[in-house]
Structure formats: C-alpha cells, structure tokens
Amino acid sequence: MSSAIVVGATGILGREIVLQLGKSPDKWPTIYALSRSKKGDFPPTVRQTSIDLTGSTTEMAQNLQGVTAEYVFFAAYLQKDTEQANWDVNGDMLQNFLNALETTGAASSLKRIVLVTGCKQYGVHLGPVKNPMLETDPWLRGGGDRTSFPPNFYYRQQDIVRDFCETKEVGWTVTYANDVVGFARGNFMNLATSVGIYAAVEKELGHDLVFPGSERFYSGFDSLTDAGLHARFCEWAALEPRAAGEAFNVVNGDVESWQNLWPRVAERFGMMVKPDQFVAGYGGESSSSQLADVAPLSVFAEKAGLEGRVVPGRLEQRVDLVKWSQREDVRKAWDSLTTREGLDKKAFEEATWSFLGFVLGRAYDLVVSMSKARALGWTGYKDTWTAISDVFDKLEEAKVLPKTR
Ligand SMILES: NC(=O)c1ccc[n+]([C@@H]2O[C@H](COP(=O)([O-])OP(=O)(O)OC[C@H]3O[C@@H](n4cnc5c(N)ncnc54)[C@H](OP(=O)(O)O)[C@@H]3O)[C@@H](O)[C@H]2O)c1
C-alpha cells in the first residue's frame, strides 16, 4: 500500500495521474490532490487540498499540515510571457513546495518524486531538433557556443529535484511528454479541445476543413502523448526501482503525421478536408515567422556532419488561429452552435488558440524515442487517433463539443 501527493491535480496531465492512482484503492488508499481550484470529482480515496504554490514556504507548510505521502507527482504549471519568467515562477513553485514538505516533516517519509516536464527539454519550441530525440541528448544550456538558447525552466526544475533528493536519499524520476492529448478545462496548452472547436465552428460556417498549420509539418512526423498513458507511465516509473534517478520520454509509441490524422478529424465531424487546402485561397489570414536564431539541431551539426546546413526553424500558420478566433463570423458561428446544441459558451475562450497555432505550425519533424523506457520493461502504448477520438468523446460529454454521433 502506498500514498501519493499529486501537485497540479486539475491539469491536463495531473488530473489523469489522480484518476489512474484512484483506480486502485488497495494499492493507493491515500491520494492528496493539490491545486488552487477544484474542478470535478475524484474517487473517494482522493483528498482535494487547496494550495497556492506561488505562496511562501511558511504559508504552504500551514496548508500542508497532515499531508504526508511516500510518492510525490509534481505536474503543476504556470505559464508566463517570457522564458525567464517561466524559469522563475515554475522553479520557485517547485522549490518552495519541497521546502514546505521539509518544514512539515513530510519529506522524511518520501520514497520517490516524479517530476512531469516535456519535450521543450530538447528545444522543440525553438526550431528543428535532432530526430529521434533521446534522453541522452545534451541539455541546451547557455554558455560556450550555446549562449543563444533561452532559459529552460525544465532544467531548473530537474536540478531542484535532483539536489533535494540527493541530500535526502529519496528517488526521483522525470518524464518528458510531447504534444499532450487529454481532457482539461481552462488550462494553458490544450490541443484536442482547440482542434475540436476549430472543426466544429468551420463546419457551422459550411466550410471544408482546412489544416491551419504548416504544409511541411502536415507531411512530416509528430509524436503525441495521451494523458492517460502518461499517468500509467508515472505510476509504473514511481514503483520501478530501475527508473530511479532517470528521465524518460513519454509518448504514445506510434509515430504519427497530421496528413494521417487530419482526414480522421474531418470524418469525425462529418466534414471533408478541403482538397486543395494548401493551394487555393482561403478566407483565413495566414502568418509566418522565424523561431529562435539558433536551432537545437545546431548542437549536433559538427558531429553529424551538418555544419553550415542547419537553419533556424519557422512557424507557418496556413490559418493564423489567434486571428481566426477573433473573427466576427467565427464568433457568431460559435454562438449559434452553442445555443442550438446547449454547449458551454466559455469553452471557446478557454481553448488555447496560440498554443494550437504553434503546435501545428512548426515546420519540422518531432520524433521522440521510447527505447529507454522499453529497455526497462515499459510496454505501454496508445494509438494516437484513438487517444484524440476518446478525448473528443469526453469533450462531447462535457458539452464543449457538439455530438457528432
Ligand atoms: N499540455 C501540454 O500539451 C504539455 C505538453 C508537454 C509538456 N507539458 C508539461 O507538463 C507539465 C504540466 O503541464 P499541464 O499542461 O498538465 O498543465 P495545466 O493543464 O495547465 O495544469 C496546471 C496545473 O497546475 C496547477 N497550478 C497552476 N498554478 C498553481 C498555483 N499557483 N498553485 C497551485 N497549483 C497551481 C493548476 O491548478 P489550478 O489552476 O487549479 O491551481 C493545474 O492543476 C508542464 O511542465 C508542461 O510544460 C505539457
């Protein structure tokens, strides 16, 4: 029997960890679910505790009186406008939370901390990366010839966890998720909700479905992470002795492309993909911009014989989704759709248009290796289209998307 604290319990990844542990009351009789808000119900073994991680260690320690567990799953996240601000706030939240566990004495019963991060580890937000991405790939730290890389809060968080655990002889494990497919309300990065609302509104407008991202990415490769599969991975990794002191990529295990997924999205909503979607004019405004001056792949250029060949990445939005979401015809279509189908109107504002535009607009491949976890016995797998379709089902139930069947 084990006990757990899940921090960020209402988020797209944290919520599934709570639900996963909650499925086995014999194994996990005590689960503390920590966040500021309470969104929806959890199984009876789950005790929801409100905490503000931006508070001081003393304030947090007061809220955490009586909260002790052997396993901590840290999946809290606050999005800020700059990478330096992300570094500051997300690092401080983790550090102060761990300090609070020390203050209350809860640190003494810890066995393992699982830190949830993502493939920004490899700079997927900065430009072309080396594919496949491997956990042994070098961190894109500043200094030397890599001074151009911005601060990466995952590096600070991993340093914090490792330092804390090493002094206390507690185990740690880190996960690197990519492009998460899951259910959440009002969070920062939500791929499935935004894709679903975009398709539903375009259908309401009587349009064929146009891929709003990059033509290059449409025919390239992506690796996605089902939030439920990631939660199963976290449970496995917390209990697997050989996963201690290790970081792992966590993706579904298939390599996908949007040229394969997009027609399925269209079919699900009873639509056609616009046959000449990348050729003919479309009412939507496009946009194009350069990403970081130095692409992460450049770190491998010399070794891989690519010197002078690595160019900065681009973000190509066939339909700029932020501009699309502000259009009057789009707003009106959502209004009439929500009124007719009894949907939750605020879901449109909660959808993360800038994030989706970024995810689909990257004009380079994202292939994430699962070899390291598999070598240690991880056999989990989820078909990516099934993952997306399952989340669409949940979004229909939650009245975010109209019934499609
Ligand atoms: N979503 C993705 O597509 C994706 C992809 C790859 C990696 N990741 C990484 O996965 C990690 C988790 O992200 P996520 O997307 O799951 O986050 P999320 O859905 O935005 O959820 C964030 C969680 O943190 C909690 N939180 C935020 N500020 C808090 C505060 N001040 N005090 C207490 N709780 C707070 C939120 O709850 P309240 O708001 O109720 O407090 C929520 O439970 C991050 O490192 C993220 O970068 C995410």
Side-chain angles (χ1 to χ4, degrees):
M1 287 202 305
S2 304
S3 48
I5 301 172
V6 182
V7 193
T10 52
I12 198 163
L13 288 166
R15 178 180 169 273
E16 289 291 343
I17 298 174
V18 177
L19 293 174
Q20 172 65 24
L21 305 182
K23 282 180 197 164
S24 310
D26 295 342
K27 217 157 119 193
W28 299 96
T30 312
I31 303 160
Y32 293 97
L34 272 45
S35 55
R36 286 166 305 184
S37 67
K38 190 180 168 195
K39 296 175 185 162
D41 290 327
F42 283 131
T45 40
V46 178
R47 305 177 196 182
Q48 292 202 58
T49 304
S50 178
I51 188 173
D52 185 354
L53 296 163
T54 60
S56 67
T57 295
T58 317
E59 286 162 346
M60 265 191 264
Q62 274 161 8
N63 281 333
L64 290 170
Q65 287 303 323
V67 175
T68 58
E70 295 154 307
Y71 297 88
V72 165
F73 300 85
F74 192 92
Y77 172 62
L78 254 184
Q79 189 163 295
K80 294 288 171 185
D81 289 342
T82 65
E83 294 303 344
Q84 185 59 51
N86 279 326
W87 169 282
D88 292 339
V89 75
N90 288 288
D92 289 354
M93 288 201 304
L94 175 60
Q95 183 71 70
N96 291 339
F97 172 72
L98 294 178
N99 291 346
L101 291 186
E102 205 161 3
T103 307
T104 63
S108 60
S109 48
L110 285 176
K111 288 186 177 162
R112 181 83 59 93
I113 298 176
V114 178
L115 171 67
V116 176
T117 70
C119 285
K120 280 185 181 173
Q121 167 73 19
Y122 304 106
V124 293
H125 55 310
L126 301 174
V129 290
K130 187 216 69 180
N131 284 308
M133 290 169 245
L134 300 172
E135 294 89 338
T136 47
D137 290 346
W139 291 21
L140 308 173
R141 297 242 193 218
D145 57 352
R146 299 180 199 156
T147 40
S148 314
F149 294 118
N152 186 328
F153 75 89
Y154 292 160
Y155 299 168
R156 181 166 175 224
Q157 287 190 320
Q158 289 172 86
D159 286 342
I160 288 170
V161 165
R162 203 180 33 241
D163 289 351
F164 180 87
C165 289
E166 274 173 8
T167 54
K168 300 196 165 35
E169 294 185 16
V170 173
W172 57 267
T173 303
V174 177
T175 68
Y176 302 148
N178 190 47
D179 295 357
V180 171
V181 177
F183 176 88
R185 299 297 306 267
N187 72 329
F188 293 110
M189 299 182 274
N190 199 326
L191 187 151
T193 300
S194 323
V195 166
I197 293 180
Y198 171 75
V201 168
E202 284 295 296
K203 183 175 186 189
E204 186 73 8
L205 286 165
H207 297 158
D208 285 343
L209 193 61
V210 168
F211 182 71
S214 132
E215 182 175 359
R216 163 71 183 78
F217 192 46
Y218 194 69
S219 328
F221 295 103
D222 197 2
S223 311
L224 293 93
T225 301
D226 174 69
L229 181 79
H230 177 268
R232 292 205 294 283
F233 187 93
C234 286
E235 184 182 19
W236 172 81
L239 302 174
E240 166 57 57
R242 290 174 301 167
E246 300 288 343
F248 294 95
N249 294 333
V250 187
V251 290
N252 291 343
D254 53 1
V255 178
E256 261 300 352
S257 72
W258 286 95
Q259 68 180 341
N260 187 47
L261 296 171
W262 201 245
R264 291 175 167 194
V265 174
E267 197 181 333
R268 161 101 192 195
F269 285 86
M271 302 168 79
M272 300 264 298
V273 175
K274 190 168 164 48
D276 53 356
Q277 59 176 341
F278 292 111
V279 178
Y282 170 72
E285 254 185 272
S286 59
S287 67
S288 170
S289 56
Q290 189 202 290
L291 292 169
D293 288 341
V294 180
L297 179 58
S298 65
V299 169
F300 298 89
E302 187 183 350
K303 193 173 175 188
L306 291 171
E307 234 170 41
R309 312 304 299 169
V310 180
V311 294
R314 293 204 69 77
L315 192 62
E316 306 284 357
Q317 297 193 50
R318 175 79 185 80
V319 179
D320 184 305
L321 286 172
V322 171
K323 291 177 188 157
W324 176 88
S325 70
Q326 291 161 351
R327 264 174 30 197
E328 212 183 317
D329 59 335
V330 166
R331 297 274 176 164
K332 278 191 179 153
W334 174 250
D335 251 11
S336 55
L337 181 64
T338 49
T339 305
R340 194 181 65 243
E341 305 287 337
L343 304 180
D344 179 0
K345 279 198 194 302
K346 69 177 182 311
F348 190 93
E349 301 303 335
E350 287 178 352
T352 52
W353 299 116
S354 169
F355 170 70
L356 183 65
F358 183 80
V359 164
L360 301 182
R362 292 167 301 187
Y364 43 91
D365 297 314
L366 297 160
V367 179
V368 182
S369 168
M370 281 304 293
S371 295
K372 180 176 173 181
R374 285 181 181 137
L376 293 189
W378 167 252
T379 54
Y381 162 77
K382 177 99 183 185
D383 172 73
T384 294
W385 171 248
T386 308
I388 295 173
S389 186
D390 287 353
V391 174
F392 283 164
D393 287 346
K394 289 182 193 161
L395 290 167
E396 286 186 12
E397 261 171 56
K399 302 232 170 279
V400 170
L401 293 180
K403 290 268 178 224
T404 50
R405 52 195 170 184

